Amino acid sequence: DFDKILQSLVTTMEHPDPFVRKVAMFWMTRIVYFHIGDPTQADDEVIAEKNVGEADSAIRPAATQSLTAASISVRNSLPHVLPGILLSIGDTFHGRHGTSSKGAILPDQTTHALAEQTNAALQDAVRRDGASYVSHLDGFIVALHEELDTGVAGRYPPAVDRRPYRLDVKSDGSGIESTGWFRASSGTYEDRDDATMMSRLCALEWVIVLYDYVVPDSLKAEYACEFIPPIIHQLVYEPPEMIVFKSFEVLAKITVPVKGEKEAGDSSPGKVDAEVNGEANVISPDFDPMSDTSAAFALDVLDSSQSNFKSRNRQVFSCLVHLHSQNHHLLSKLSTVIEFM
């Protein structure tokens, strides 16, 4: 039952001990790579970091001509894999277990490298056979929302290795204060910056991948509406410029209607009203200048050659206005936001 197995592995990835997280990510990598990895992938194609050790060659998938029951089960469980990837892709901790038994397991790999392997294999599978994942789209959306709705500190506090500080604390964990890995209560969020940025960039990239290869044309507008508010709301936490730029890159991608969508939406209410009144290209004196039809007319007058880059509506701008009206401390950086746009 890969559904339960993968869910258990994702739960284990929340463990404060980095070694436990690495082992959980390693098992997820093997499962995904054997059952989802591209069987036609050339030997010289690598989906991990360079020089990640010999373990990479040990987990290449065997060529299969058809999907097995196990592979179908793994495919149906992939929405559970994405939260695990987002949890682990920023985990760059490298253990200090050089001479211990833990150091003999995956000594040259980090959880980050394993997560990148799994992420690349999963994205490649979605690009190859996106139609098969339409039924799981809601699971992917929930996982991405959980990441995008999280503040700058990330979903979990950083883990700290608690050492004995009293003589009556024994190595077996008994005593006044137990030793081992624990989640910090506060005050150690400095190390979370890089991890949060990597997971956030990964989530934003997934928004584009799903939009391009999974979401049907008839649902692209609804899909975009799901992500415009959370992506804009990230500005509240004043993220690094790399995340701001990537966010607007995603918005530029998902807000422009595709060809099939345009054909299906030719009978929009605004256009029908304009055609009925004989005002498709001329605005009457009593016409509402704030309507979508008026905005589209003005954009065509400015530069008709850029019509392919027009968004469906003005939801991005309305979200920006709403955000800055409630968070006045962001007004000083509005010029930077406009520059990125």
Side-chain angles (χ1 to χ4, degrees), residues 231-252:
I231 289 177
I232 293 294
H233 194 262
Q234 291 182 107
L235 297 175
V236 171
Y237 307 106
E238 301 183 15
E241 288 190 355
M242 185 181 298
I243 291 181
V244 178
F245 183 81
K246 183 66 176 180
S247 297
F248 281 107
E249 190 179 61
V250 172
L251 291 174

Side-chain angles (χ1 to χ4, degrees), residues 13-73:
M13 291 173 192
E14 301 171 6
H15 197 280
D17 190 331
F19 175 74
V20 175
R21 298 198 301 266
K22 181 195 286 189
V23 172
M25 191 68 242
F26 176 70
W27 276 108
M28 179 177 285
T29 302
R30 291 185 71 90
I31 292 172
V32 171
Y33 211 45
F34 268 115
H35 293 287
I36 302 298
D38 187 359
T40 62
Q41 187 178 20
D43 292 336
D44 58 343
E45 290 183 314
V46 180
I47 61 171
E49 289 183 338
K50 295 180 180 179
N51 302 323
V52 292
E54 297 179 355
D56 179 58
S57 60
I59 58 174
R60 291 190 178 278
T64 54
Q65 298 299 322
S66 60
L67 286 174
T68 63
S71 298
I72 294 175
S73 178

Side-chain angles (χ1 to χ4, degrees), residues 305-323:
S305 65
Q306 302 295 313
S307 58
N308 290 333
F309 298 100
K310 285 194 299 187
S311 59
R312 296 182 188 88
N313 50 47
R314 292 171 286 173
Q315 186 178 1
V316 172
F317 297 96
S318 65
C319 285
L320 280 171
V321 172
H322 183 70
L323 181 76

Side-chain angles (χ1 to χ4, degrees), residues 137 141-142 144-145 148-149 207-208 210-211 215-233 250-257 261 292 311-320:
L137 190 58
I141 291 175
V142 169
L144 294 175
H145 262 292
L148 295 175
D149 292 341
V207 174
I208 293 180
L210 294 175
Y211 182 84
V215 181
D217 289 349
S218 59
L219 296 178
K220 286 189 183 296
E222 185 178 349
Y223 176 85
C225 291
E226 283 283 340
F227 287 104
I228 291 175
I231 289 177
I232 293 294
H233 194 262
V250 172
L251 291 174
K253 177 67 177 179
I254 67 175
T255 55
V256 176
E261 181 186 348
D292 288 338
S311 59
R312 296 182 188 88
N313 50 47
R314 292 171 286 173
Q315 186 178 1
V316 172
F317 297 96
S318 65
C319 285
L320 280 171

